[in-house]
Amino acid sequence: MALLVVLASFASGVLAQTPKKPDPKTKPPVGKGLASKPAPPPPPPPIAKELEEEVASIAAATGARLSASEHPVFDCASSLSRDETLIVVDGAEKAFAVFKEISGVSGPAEMFGIKKPLLVILPGAESYKKLGYWYEKAKGRPGMGDAVANSTYFPFDSPRCLIGMHLKPSDAVGLAHVAAHETGHLCVQRYKFNSNYSPPWLCEGMGAYLEARVFGITNCYCFSPGGAQRYGAADAGAVLEKLSDLQFAKWKTAVKAAAKSRQLKTFANFIPLQLSELGAGEVGKAWSMIDYMASLGPGKVGAFIGAVKRLWPAAVVYEHTPAKTAAQEKAILEVFGVEVAGFEEQWRAYVMAKY
Ligand SMILES: [Zn+2]
């Protein structure tokens, strides 16, 4: 620490000196001397005690070595180096900024409360599987352990907002995509929170939309046609191999062609689908619906999600019900002033003109 202080004051002393005129006869030393060395990075700011304790509790339960860090929207518990952690966190922070823009939400506190959502980056599947059981016990959510054990990443919406993920077989850049995508799920689940299930097309569409807006490429999918719902299910699956590192522009072209030839399921037909029943076509329609809503003005996407939550049936049921379709149809009429079929034709015209 003392050395850091000395170096820092020496470096700032060097910078403060009046620059001398260079002597053309003497070559400046290459890669040598203190002046050419970058100043040492400042030490990380102190971490809130509550976060330190929570991260220590997760580390103890998962057996992973984790460092806590605080960021504008998210907190982080990471097994990565500080620089790599920043790459992952940046994906989530940027995704939230896009959601803020399209939803009109005032800020993270409106959605998450006083505690920032926590990104947990674990080193591998073994420690990751223990995260759900820690959550189940520490946060009183039975069943979370088994649900998480069957995935490679997971958005926990309540009572503690948290995104869990692990490094195998990914890396910091891959996890930045996961962080942006899962932020999409967390945003749909938490915005105007109703403590009930959110429409799967909207959750998955928002994940893909935010990831595409942040990176221009999508690489993270939860849906696996024919398989069980599993966050991260498609990442390792050859079924969707053609979807890895998919350029957003390319996906737009495909959606445009499908919209033109009316190959895609109608909105009314894909509203009832569960995550496990969504395919690339439906997800392309889902994010392009969100994109169209966003094009109608700032806050329109938020107004739609808010109306869906307000009109949502009170019964907490995982499966789709007709009341869930009715809530979404009413929300479209209320926010956009047209019936679903009319809204769908507007979407088609937008996609064909813009994509
Ligand atoms: Zn997803």
Side-chain angles (χ1 to χ4, degrees), residues 59-294:
T62 59
R65 284 183 61 178
L66 299 172
S67 317
S69 57
E70 292 174 295
H71 309 272
V73 178
F74 291 85
D75 284 336
C76 189
S78 177
S79 56
L80 289 166
S81 70
R82 208 174 146 203
D83 286 351
E84 286 182 316
T85 297
L86 285 175
I87 292 172
V88 182
V89 174
D90 198 45
E93 295 277 338
K94 283 181 174 156
F96 183 79
V98 175
F99 184 79
K100 188 168 181 280
E101 171 204 311
I102 63 170
S103 67
V105 69
S106 59
E110 186 188 324
M111 283 171 52
F112 305 119
I114 49 166
K115 251 188 172 181
K116 293 174 183 173
L118 182 66
L119 295 170
V120 181
I121 307 166
L122 291 161
E126 201 186 321
S127 52
Y128 172 79
K129 279 182 181 165
K130 294 173 183 161
L131 178 68
Y133 296 104
W134 167 84
Y135 194 97
E136 183 171 325
K137 215 171 150 191
K139 308 295 171 189
R141 281 282 306 268
M144 292 305 267
D146 290 346
V148 173
N150 198 27
S151 66
T152 46
Y153 37 80
F154 204 92
F156 299 79
D157 62 349
S158 169
R160 176 69 171 112
C161 281
L162 185 155
I163 296 172
M165 63 185 88
H166 71 82
L167 268 163
K168 300 288 162 57
S170 201
D171 56 13
V173 175
L175 289 187
H177 278 255
V178 170
H181 180 105
E182 295 301 296
T183 295
H185 293 323
L186 212 51
C187 285
V188 170
Q189 287 161 349
R190 288 296 310 189
Y191 185 69
K192 307 285 180 191
F193 189 54
N194 64 348
S195 195
N196 204 335
Y197 296 100
S198 300
W201 75 267
L202 191 57
C203 284
E204 194 55 25
M206 188 64 75
Y209 177 78
L210 296 189
E211 189 190 349
R213 283 281 310 271
V214 172
F215 296 104
I217 290 173
T218 54
N219 204 9
C220 173
Y221 314 97
C222 303
F223 54 91
S224 60
Q229 169 184 331
R230 192 152 69 89
Y231 291 105
D235 283 5
V239 186
L240 291 162
E241 209 174 344
K242 60 180 178 176
L243 284 179
S244 67
D245 285 329
L246 182 63
Q247 297 282 340
F248 195 27
K250 252 188 173 174
W251 207 358
K252 279 185 166 177
T253 308
V255 168
K256 181 181 181 173
K260 193 178 174 187
S261 61
R262 297 177 183 261
Q263 283 169 3
L264 298 171
K265 280 193 177 69
T266 61
F267 188 61
N269 283 336
F270 86 77
I271 280 180
L273 301 177
Q274 290 299 339
L275 206 48
S276 59
E277 298 167 320
L278 294 172
E282 287 80 31
V283 174
K285 182 150 183 178
W287 63 248
S288 61
M289 278 280 185
I290 293 167
D291 186 36
Y292 174 55
M293 288 178 187

